[in-house]
Amino acid sequence: MGLKNTLRKLPPSAKIIALALSGFIIFNLDIIPCIFFFVLLFALSLLSNLSITKQLKAQRATLAYSMALYFVHIFENVFSLFKGNSFVLSDFLIPDEITIRIIVRLICAIQAAALFYHTTTNLEIRRGISDIEIAIRSIFSRKKSIKPQFSHSLSLMLTFIPEILLSWNELNKAWKARGGKNGLSKMKKLIPALISLSMNKAYKTALAVISRNPS
């Protein structure tokens, strides 16, 4: 709890800038340094009271994307056999260096985002983005009072991402509670429901923003 409280007390704008910088660093690291960076983020997440279960849930989309890349790798090797290349088992089982680098970087980036959202509330994200915009606009403006404009739309977009994931988890739990199974029928029924639920939440959020900022 100590580290989590410490990270929560940091200015939201500083955490947003740190997240952006970490993303830039991650996608310029090689495989081994990126793995070490991931281990560091994983340790910080544990010290911030982010359980392993929640960390694994955050990486579910990454796992699906990694499997897709792996199948593409296998398909490319199968296709190469028709061109007369010899069969090498290791080439089929072990992905190439580029694929591994992409997967490791993506896992590390998601880990950084999970830690950020765990220690930063939606309100803090909005305030942090507004502070950054005001600071940037004040550098190029002579006005004494500056109101953030772009940050409102951007902050709403960023904070709506977890809302979509939460809505999907709610629908998924309801589907499983009724005995539903994974498959194409699940996607056909849950995706329209997800869109409808997300649009409803977006509409309510828009009304709340308008009521607070009528101008």
Side-chain angles (χ1 to χ4, degrees), residues 7-66:
L7 293 176
R8 281 195 176 280
K9 291 178 181 178
L10 292 176
S13 56
K15 288 189 283 186
I16 293 171
I17 294 173
L19 179 64
L21 290 176
S22 66
F24 176 79
I25 293 172
I26 287 169
F27 285 96
N28 284 277
L29 288 177
D30 209 344
I31 295 175
I32 301 301
C34 196
I35 291 175
F36 280 111
F37 196 14
F38 168 77
V39 172
L40 175 62
L41 291 171
F42 181 80
L44 290 175
S45 299
L46 287 179
L47 293 174
S48 300
N49 202 32
L50 182 60
S51 66
I52 296 178
T53 302
K54 291 182 179 179
Q55 293 185 52
L56 291 176
K57 286 183 178 179
Q59 295 288 353
R60 283 186 299 184
T62 312
L63 178 61
Y65 183 76
S66 301

Side-chain angles (χ1 to χ4, degrees), residues 1-178:
M1 291 297 292
L3 181 59
K4 182 178 180 181
N5 290 334
T6 301
L7 293 176
R8 281 195 176 280
K9 291 178 181 178
L10 292 176
S13 56
K15 288 189 283 186
I16 293 171
I17 294 173
L19 179 64
L21 290 176
S22 66
F24 176 79
I25 293 172
I26 287 169
F27 285 96
N28 284 277
L29 288 177
D30 209 344
I31 295 175
I32 301 301
C34 196
I35 291 175
F36 280 111
F37 196 14
F38 168 77
V39 172
L40 175 62
L41 291 171
F42 181 80
L44 290 175
S45 299
L46 287 179
L47 293 174
S48 300
N49 202 32
L50 182 60
S51 66
I52 296 178
T53 302
K54 291 182 179 179
Q55 293 185 52
L56 291 176
K57 286 183 178 179
Q59 295 288 353
R60 283 186 299 184
T62 312
L63 178 61
Y65 183 76
S66 301
M67 292 299 296
L69 286 179
Y70 186 68
F71 285 126
V72 169
H73 163 76
I74 294 177
F75 176 78
E76 288 177 347
N77 281 276
V78 171
F79 186 74
S80 67
L81 294 178
F82 293 97
K83 294 184 177 181
N85 295 331
S86 58
F87 174 79
V88 181
L89 182 60
S90 60
D91 291 341
F92 278 83
L93 299 179
I94 303 175
D96 58 273
E97 184 179 348
I98 296 177
T99 302
I100 296 175
R101 187 183 296 115
I102 293 173
I103 293 173
V104 171
R105 286 175 176 176
L106 187 59
I107 292 174
C108 194
I110 294 297
Q111 187 69 29
L115 178 60
F116 171 77
Y117 278 111
H118 181 64
T119 57
T120 313
T121 64
N122 291 346
L123 181 61
E124 290 172 339
I125 293 174
R126 296 191 185 110
R127 188 172 72 246
I129 295 176
S130 297
D131 291 342
I132 293 173
E133 183 184 0
I134 290 173
I136 294 175
R137 288 167 63 87
S138 63
I139 296 175
F140 301 98
S141 177
R142 296 181 179 179
K143 296 180 180 179
K144 293 183 179 180
S145 59
I146 300 174
K147 295 182 179 180
Q149 299 174 357
F150 171 74
S151 61
H152 286 312
S153 299
L154 180 60
S155 60
L156 285 173
M157 180 190 71
L158 291 176
T159 54
F160 197 61
I161 294 174
E163 292 292 337
I164 294 176
L165 296 177
L166 181 61
S167 298
W168 174 258
N169 289 333
E170 292 175 355
L171 292 171
N172 193 40
K173 288 180 181 178
W175 176 262
K176 291 181 178 179
R178 296 181 179 180

